[in-house]
């Protein structure tokens, strides 16, 4: 007997099976689809309807393979996109099975008989799965000599999505995306057989049956994804249609600059112009989806009012005139130095900076202006929020904080003062996925049953605007089941920028978290806020998160920065409102503004007054991409680069670094950090932020609150009692609930009419009984001493005596017109007939 | 093979009462032993009933012939979720005409069967999904359900057994595909009727994602008779693997078309005798054993035993025992074209092979029948059929190609004859007339 060498056995981990694909033995996790296992082996099975993030459909039949189970061949070829692997299974794909190959060729031929083959004029040509797979798995010639089915084309699914039904292979990716991922059934399959088609209520012959109750067209914030996942050229983008060929484009990985999710994107550009943006694939963050704002809103960077040359105010005429960088920087440096040495100068950075640029502002404030008067919060804010950010948010990372994945896997999620679909659409998608796939219990403390509530199958805990803190404190008595759910391991509490408008909310949430163990997640609306917090663009925190009052941290930073001991101011500075108040009272002489719209601020009038005052008696430097509201008051305007023309990184709400390189090189536009660096040199200070890379390197050398020892210097949370809300307001007085909609008047959505066409209608919402009590006849006028807004009324399940307005949509500019915010008292009356 | 038994010419079981005066009323039904099985069934345990139906060998009468008792036993033993019984009364297979006559003539045997089957499967809701076009039938069923409620055979605490059952008669909206059980469930839920991905099978997640059994009308209507007669009595009829009587619906060129209830395994020769022979004595040319989705037979197949095994062995399927008889006057390509037009019209559109295949096949056949076909078209027909058969999502696609492949198999000459004109001028191949 000769020793026979045992064949090498594959190790099969728990929960895995072994199978053979094309004669190769492979181990696969139970439940994996054959098509994915094959893919891991490098065997690509052609497919159309299959998409890893959508539920299997088995509709296109392109991925047929031969399967043998327990030694017995199955009588028919099987769709590898719907069949899961099993132990002992033998799979033969088109590579080793004539039957599978013929089946695939047959399906391909059938798919093409009614396809118009208009590739030369199709946007998808060159990146089309149908084109590619037809070349790989199809016949060279067609046997079809009869009459093709035709449709009028294209039709508008929405203002931004166009549908060509002739090209459609009816894979149902778009309809499944809408129904499963977004929860917006704005498109559906209509008719049957060869007449089956994707359509909307507008294209259906039975329109009356398909209308929503309000008779409006369905709309979606995520419709652009259907264009990207369409495996043929059936869905095309109104914005990109006929713009270019995919092979003429340069693709650069990028990060979305709009909200705090930090989605991975791919920016496609040609001859110095961005042509389109696509979702990147980042399973940890946005999976393969982005919202329509992230996809379509990019032309703001090339708007007509873009500033490309420095401007200085001509002393004689009082007008801003173009100047050289040298002249502008000298004027700015002189003006700021004078202001600093008079009553000081403050810095308002806005919420949209990269970490590197925010760091440059923070460092500039500390060593060039020698002040802690710096705040990134260009929105309603509070000391309580500042204290919460310092004690609980700064320094958290995906390793120790809440993440997208944590939300997906959470047993329970409570959202409060946060409208996921409007404020962080990708968080909304994850929340919906959690509810849909993992049965996550979602609770929403808000005012009415919004789409975020219905589409995440959430339970609404209704409260009055401003009453959120009291609602949290009352949970134990009124909704003990919610508290119980939050005690489960992995539960999460999510809240947004609106929390700063509700006194006591951060304190109540901190207590609730301590009591239940649920983790807190602060999800700001703007892309730059989380990074600016870390970079120290706040009156109380140093870059790295240590309090400005921490002498040891100050000393360490002084050493790292190479500045004299005692250079860094030790006293906490003023926040945004205090800076503006000081400026209008003549207690501040200068201001550096990096992209702030007074109308976003809690008191736009105060902001204007401050700018007015400084414009006459002080000094304002404005760093602008486009002509802003500060422009008219500024003494020097310095142009800066939009995100597509610079490198850098955002910290998303998870605290995850989202680094990106320069997409459009050599435009001459400079990032804020570079401008500030040069300005500082003029003031005899070195920032070392010439490039984003050097700024990042400089920042990385600083002590972080994260790596402090146990006796770290995190300040404790300020305790603020929950605001008491009047239980019933008499007569025409009403409480205002308000937040921003995703698509609104925001200046970064300018020049995108197709995108704007999908914005939600601008209406006021009140309860039916309130509308009846006040005799609202279809329109309502909401007013304060400052002004009034008149809008059509829609009834919703709001508490009585509450009116909801979109914060900045169309004519509904709440801060600018009313000077009021969420939770304030307004007057509600029947709308004046216009 | 088992010992072939010479079947009795007819075995009226389900059709026994059809010719009684006002046979559809509760009054007539109860006078003729109606609702006598129900009290017996309610005294037995659900498990005993499932076993009885298993023992009887009753096979599904909707076409596939799956053993009914085995199907029932797939329902979970617990009641964590509501259980549903759904009756497939969407009779739409061309040539099939057995369920609608049954429901017209004897709706109460179906209702009694529903109560027994629901009890056996612990269902408290039963839906009868009736083809929408059969309005008269829907009215009659609704009236019968009302009568049954009034008489205490439906509703709460049926016959003091503590068992509750509600029956809902639901009209379809006119789609052949909704006879496919999962498409039927989608339609019943108010969605577009398109077949669902399996697994999960209906017994695990069917109607409203709850355990569901879908049975044909004739299957369930047989149940009271099995309860009364016992499984041995039932097995006296038919063959060992296909026991019981079966309603053969005979249509076409026979003297007396109609429903003939005979034991499974009866041959066309016997059935033709029952139906008075070929109309006007014109000889038989081709016929379908179970509707247009089953490959056609010819005069050669007169002695094929029409049970599930016999039909399959001869290269077709028993289907719904819709025997369509065609005489020498009918052109096979023409008949095949008409059938294919039907499948093109009824394809739901979900999967590529069926949607596009029927669209293409119809055009080729229409062109051939118009005299514009070529010999190459016959090859194309067969190859497209091969690319549809077994490649489509559900059985609709398989059924759609049956008439074409079997038609060409037995009558290729007729297809070739249609191409004669093109032989003279091959340059016109494929051109429109």
């Amino acid at each position: 007997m000769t020793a026979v060498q045992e064949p090498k056995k594959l190790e099969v981990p728990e929960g895995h099976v072994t199978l053979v694909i094309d004669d190769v033995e492979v181990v696969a996790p139970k439940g994996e689809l054959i098509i994915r296992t094959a893919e891991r082996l490098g065997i690509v099975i052609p497919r159309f309807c299959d998409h890893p993030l959508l539920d299997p459909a088995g509709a296109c039949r392109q991925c047929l393979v031969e399967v043998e189970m327990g030694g017995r061949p199955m009588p028919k070829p099987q769709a590898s996109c719907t069949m899961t692997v099993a132990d002992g299974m033998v799979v033969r794909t088109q590579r080793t099975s004539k039957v599978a190959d013929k089946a695939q060729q047959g399906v391909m031929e059938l798919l093409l008989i009614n396809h118009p083959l208009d590739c030369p004029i199709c946007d998808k040509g060159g990146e089309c799965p149908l084109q590619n797979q037809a070349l790989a798995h199809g016949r060279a010639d067609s046997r079809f000599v009869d009459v093709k089915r035709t449709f009028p084309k294209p039709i508008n699914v929405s203002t931004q999505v166009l549908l060509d039904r002739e090209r459609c292979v009816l894979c149902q990716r778009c309809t499944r995306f809408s129904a499963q991922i977004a929860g917006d059934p704005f498109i559906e399959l209509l008719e049957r057989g060869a007449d089956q088609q994707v359509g909307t209520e507008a294209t259906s012959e039975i329109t009356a049956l398909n209308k929503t109750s309000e008779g409006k067209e369905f709309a979606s914030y995520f419709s652009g994804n259907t264009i990207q996942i369409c495996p043929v050229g059936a869905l095309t983008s109104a914005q990109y249609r006929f713009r270019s060929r995919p092979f003429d484009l340069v693709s650069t990985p990028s990060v979305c600059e709009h909200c705090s999710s930090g989605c991975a994107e791919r920016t496609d550009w040609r001859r110095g112009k961005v042509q389109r943006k696509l979702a990147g694939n980042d399973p940890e963050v946005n999976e393969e989806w982005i919202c329509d704002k992230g996809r379509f809103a990019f032309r703001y960077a090339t708007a007509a009012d873009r500033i490309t040359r420095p401007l200085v105010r001509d002393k004689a005429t009082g007008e801003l005139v173009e100047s050289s960088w040298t002249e502008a920087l000298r004027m700015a440096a002189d003006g700021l130095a004078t202001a600093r040495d008079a009553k000081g100068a403050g810095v308002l950075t806005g919420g949209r900076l990269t970490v590197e640029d925010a760091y440059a502002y923070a460092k500039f404030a500390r060593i060039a202006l020698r002040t802690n008067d710096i705040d990134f919060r260009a929105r309603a804010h509070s000391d309580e929020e500042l204290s919460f950010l310092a004690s609980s948010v700064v320094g958290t990372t995906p390793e120790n904080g809440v993440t997208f994945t944590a939300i997906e896997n959470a047993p329970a999620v409570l959202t409060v003062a946060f409208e996921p679909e409007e404020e962080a659409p990708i968080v909304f998608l994850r929340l919906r996925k959690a509810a849909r796939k993992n049965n996550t219990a979602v609770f929403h403390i808000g005012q009415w049953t919004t789409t975020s509530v219905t589409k995440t199958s959430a339970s609404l805990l209704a409260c009055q605007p401003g009453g959120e803190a009291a609602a949290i404190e009352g949970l134990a008595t009124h909704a003990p089941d919610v508290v119980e759910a939050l005690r489960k391991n992995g539960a999460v509490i999510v809240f947004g920028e609106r929390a700063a408008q509700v006194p006591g909310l951060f304190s109540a949430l901190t207590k609730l978290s301590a009591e239940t163990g649920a983790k807190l997640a602060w999800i700001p609306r703007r892309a730059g806020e989380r990074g600016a917090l870390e970079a120290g663009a706040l009156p109380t925190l140093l870059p790295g998160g240590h309090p400005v009052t921490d002498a040891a941290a100050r000393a360490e930073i002084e050493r790292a920065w190479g500045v004299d001991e005692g250079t860094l101011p030790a006293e906490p500075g003023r926040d945004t409102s205090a800076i503006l108040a000081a400026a209008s009272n003549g207690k501040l002489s200068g201001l550096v503004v990096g992209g702030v719209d007074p109308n976003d601020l809690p008191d736009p009038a105060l902001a204007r007054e401050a700018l007015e005052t400084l414009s006459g008696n002080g000094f304002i430097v404005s760093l602008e991409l486009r002509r802003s509201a500060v422009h008219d008051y500024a003494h020097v305007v310095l142009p800066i680069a939009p995100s597509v023309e610079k490198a850098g990184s955002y910290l998303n709400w998870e605290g995850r670094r989202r680094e990106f390189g320069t997409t459009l090189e050599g435009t001459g536009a400079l990032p804020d950090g570079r401008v500030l660096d040069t300005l500082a040199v003029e003031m005899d200070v070195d920032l070392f932020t010439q490039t984003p890379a050097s700024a990042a390197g400089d920042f990385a050398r600083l002590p972080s609150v994260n790596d402090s020892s146990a006796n770290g210097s995190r300040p404790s949370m300020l305790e603020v009692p929950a605001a008491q809300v009047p239980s019933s307001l008499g007569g025409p007085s009403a409480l205002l609930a308000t937040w921003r909609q995703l698509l609104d008047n925001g200046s970064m959505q300018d020049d995108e009419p197709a995108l704007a066409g999908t914005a939600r209608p601008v209406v006021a919402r009140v309860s039916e009984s309130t509308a009846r009590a006040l005799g609202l006849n279809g329109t309502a006028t909401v007013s304060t001493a400052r002004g009034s807004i008149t809008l059509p009324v829609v009834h919703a399940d709001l508490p009585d005596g509450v009116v909801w307005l979109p914060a900045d949509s169309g004519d509904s500019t709440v801060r600018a017109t009313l000077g009021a915010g969420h939770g304030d008292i307004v007057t509600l009356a029947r709308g004046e007939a216009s | 093979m088992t010992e072939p038994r010479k079947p009795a010419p007819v075995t009226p079981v389900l059709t026994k009462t059809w010719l009684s005066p006002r046979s559809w009323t509760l009054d007539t039904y109860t006078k003729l032993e109606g609702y006598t099985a129900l009290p017996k069934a309610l005294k037995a345990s659900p498990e005993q009933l499932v076993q009885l139906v298993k023992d009887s060998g009753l096979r599904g009468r909707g076409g596939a012939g799956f053993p009914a008792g085995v199907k029932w036993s797939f329902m979970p033993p617990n009641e964590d979720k509501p259980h549903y019984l759904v009756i497939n009364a969407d009779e739409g297979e061309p040539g099939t005409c057995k369920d609608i006559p049954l429901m017209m003539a004897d709706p109460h045997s179906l209702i009694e069967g529903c109560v027994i089957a629901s009890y056996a499967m612990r269902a408290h809701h039963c839906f009868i999904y009736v083809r929408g076009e059969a309005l008269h039938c829907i009215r009659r069923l609704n009236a019968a359900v009302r009568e049954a409620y009034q008489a205490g055979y439906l509703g709460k605490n049926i016959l003091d057994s503590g068992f509750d059952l509600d029956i809902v008669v639901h009209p379809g909206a006119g789609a052949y595909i909704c006879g496919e059980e999962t498409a039927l469930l989608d339609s019943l839920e108010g969605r577009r009727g398109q077949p669902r991905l399996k697994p999960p099978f209906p017994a695990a997640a069917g109607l409203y994602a709850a355990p569901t059994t879908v049975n044909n009308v004739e299957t369930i209507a047989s149940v009271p008779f099995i309860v009364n007669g016992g499984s041995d009595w039932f097995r006296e009829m038919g063959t060992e693997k296909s026991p019981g009587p079966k309603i053969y619906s005979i249509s076409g060129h026979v003297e007396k078309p109609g429903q003939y209830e005979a034991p499974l395994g009866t041959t066309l020769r016997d059935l033709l005798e029952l139906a008075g022979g070929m109309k006007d004595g014109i000889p038989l040319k081709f016929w379908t054993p179970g509707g247009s989705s089953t490959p056609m037979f010819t005069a050669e197949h007169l002695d094929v035993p029409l049970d599930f095994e016999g039909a399959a062995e001869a290269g077709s399927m028993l289907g719904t025992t819709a025997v369509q008889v065609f005489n020498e006057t009918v052109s096979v390509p023409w008949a095949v074209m008409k059938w294919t037009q039907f499948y093109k019209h009824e394809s739901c559109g979900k999967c590529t092979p069926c949607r596009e295949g029927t669209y293409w096949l119809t055009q080729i056949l229409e062109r051939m029948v118009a005299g514009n076909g070529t010999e190459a078209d016959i090859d194309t027909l067969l190859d497209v059929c091969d690319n549809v058969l077994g490649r489509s999502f559900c059985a609709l696609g398989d059924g759609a190609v049956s008439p074409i492949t079997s038609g060409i198999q037995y009558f290729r000459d007729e297809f070739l004859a249609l191409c004669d004109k093109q032989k003279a001028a091959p340059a016109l191949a494929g051109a429109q007339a």
Side-chain angles (χ1 to χ4, degrees), chain A residues 517-643:
Chain A
K519 278 191 169 182
L520 297 176
W522 174 68
I523 304 188
R525 209 171 51 81
R526 294 186 172 116
E529 296 211 354
R530 189 65 173 76
L533 164 65
E534 223 69 23
L538 277 177
T540 57
L541 293 182
L542 293 164
H546 286 290
V548 294
T549 49
D550 182 337
R554 275 203 319 275
E556 204 176 329
I557 290 175
E558 278 159 356
R559 277 196 300 280
W561 281 352
V563 293
D564 294 337
E565 209 181 304
T567 306
L568 295 188
E571 286 299 307
R574 303 175 174 105
D575 67 10
T576 301
S577 291
I579 288 172
L580 292 170
S584 59
N585 293 339
K587 289 180 185 154
L588 200 66
S589 309
L591 204 51
V592 177
V593 188
V596 174
D597 182 347
N599 288 339
D600 288 343
L601 297 171
D603 191 348
L606 172 70
R608 290 223 161 70
E609 203 183 307
L611 291 169
E612 191 79 47
T613 311
L614 289 185
S615 156
N617 304 326
F619 195 77
I620 302 174
V621 176
S622 181
L623 284 81
E624 296 180 5
L625 177 68
R626 293 164 54 197
R627 198 188 158 101
S628 77
V630 184
H631 191 92
D632 294 334
Y633 305 100
H635 298 87
V636 177
V637 174
L638 301 172
I640 45 91
S643 61

Side-chain angles (χ1 to χ4, degrees), chain B residues 15 39 56 61 63 76 85 87 106 123 130 147 173 211 213 223 241 244 281 288-289 345 358 363 409 416-417 431:
Chain B
T15 56
S56 74
R61 301 313 199 209
L85 172 66
I87 305 301
D106 187 17
V130 192
E147 280 183 313
T213 294
V223 171
K241 285 186 176 165
T288 66
H345 185 254
T358 54
Q363 289 203 41
Q409 181 188 345
L416 281 171

Side-chain angles (χ1 to χ4, degrees), chain B residues 318-329:
Chain B
L318 187 64
T320 55
T321 58
V323 179
Q324 291 173 286
V325 180
F326 298 85
N327 67 19
E328 293 278 353
T329 65

Side-chain angles (χ1 to χ4, degrees), chain A residues 57-61 76-77 102 106 109-111 114 143-144 146-149 169 189 191-193 196, chain B residues 174-175 192 194 345-353 355-356 359-360 363 367 383 386-387 391-393 398:
Chain A
C60 76
R61 318 304 287 173
K76 301 171 175 180
K102 173 158 193 299
E109 185 183 25
L110 290 169
L111 279 175
N114 274 321
R143 293 182 292 181
F144 184 77
D146 297 283
V147 183
K148 282 180 192 268
R149 175 204 57 204
V169 293
L189 289 169
E191 308 299 335
R192 71 183 185 204
Q196 187 178 236
Chain B
R192 278 164 61 78
Q194 288 200 332
H345 185 254
E346 293 297 341
S347 169
C348 80
K350 176 164 184 163
C351 74
T352 310
R355 177 185 70 234
E356 306 294 338
Y359 176 88
W360 190 0
Q363 289 203 41
R367 192 155 44 77
D383 194 53
D386 184 53
N387 288 337
R391 276 70 175 146
S392 52
F393 190 92
D398 298 351

Side-chain angles (χ1 to χ4, degrees), chain A residues 328-588:
Chain A
L329 287 169
R330 180 160 311 128
M331 262 191 75
D334 289 349
L336 287 176
T338 312
R340 173 191 67 200
D341 299 337
K343 287 174 182 158
V347 181
L348 299 176
T349 71
R352 301 203 167 275
L353 299 173
T354 60
V355 177
E356 293 76 9
D357 287 340
Y359 173 70
Y361 278 98
K363 191 170 181 181
F364 184 81
R366 280 8 185 276
I367 61 176
L369 300 178
R370 294 180 214 130
T371 178
N372 281 325
D373 289 350
I374 176 169
D375 199 340
F376 68 79
R377 297 172 298 169
R379 52 172 174 77
H381 52 276
S382 67
D383 285 348
E384 186 190 358
E385 180 189 39
L386 196 53
S387 163
F388 176 78
L389 296 181
S391 67
S392 310
V393 178
V394 72
T396 55
T397 62
E399 282 73 45
N400 59 20
V402 179
T403 58
F404 281 105
T405 313
I407 287 181
E408 185 179 331
N409 296 330
V413 176
L414 170 67
T415 61
V416 54
F418 178 57
E419 197 56 36
E421 197 180 4
E422 307 284 7
E423 298 181 38
I426 300 304
V427 174
F428 161 77
L429 288 188
R430 273 306 173 96
L431 205 52
R432 179 174 157 78
K433 186 180 181 190
R436 203 175 156 266
K437 295 266 185 189
N438 299 338
N439 278 325
T440 298
V442 182
F443 306 99
H444 182 84
I445 295 184
Q447 278 71 48
W448 51 287
T449 307
T450 59
T451 52
S452 294
V453 176
T454 52
K455 289 188 275 189
T456 57
S457 312
S459 314
L460 174 72
L461 307 165
C463 71
Q464 287 178 309
E468 287 87 350
I472 292 281
E473 288 187 342
L475 275 183
T477 30
H478 300 303
D481 57 315
V482 177
V483 179
E484 231 21 70
L486 291 174
R487 281 188 212 284
K488 289 186 190 150
N489 195 22
V492 173
I493 303 170
V494 180
F495 44 95
E497 64 174 26
R498 203 154 67 253
Q501 295 184 54
V502 183
L505 183 53
F506 288 105
S507 308
L509 289 169
T510 307
K511 262 183 260 164
L512 181 64
S513 163
E515 196 184 299
T516 58
K519 278 191 169 182
L520 297 176
W522 174 68
I523 304 188
R525 209 171 51 81
R526 294 186 172 116
E529 296 211 354
R530 189 65 173 76
L533 164 65
E534 223 69 23
L538 277 177
T540 57
L541 293 182
L542 293 164
H546 286 290
V548 294
T549 49
D550 182 337
R554 275 203 319 275
E556 204 176 329
I557 290 175
E558 278 159 356
R559 277 196 300 280
W561 281 352
V563 293
D564 294 337
E565 209 181 304
T567 306
L568 295 188
E571 286 299 307
R574 303 175 174 105
D575 67 10
T576 301
S577 291
I579 288 172
L580 292 170
S584 59
N585 293 339
K587 289 180 185 154
L588 200 66

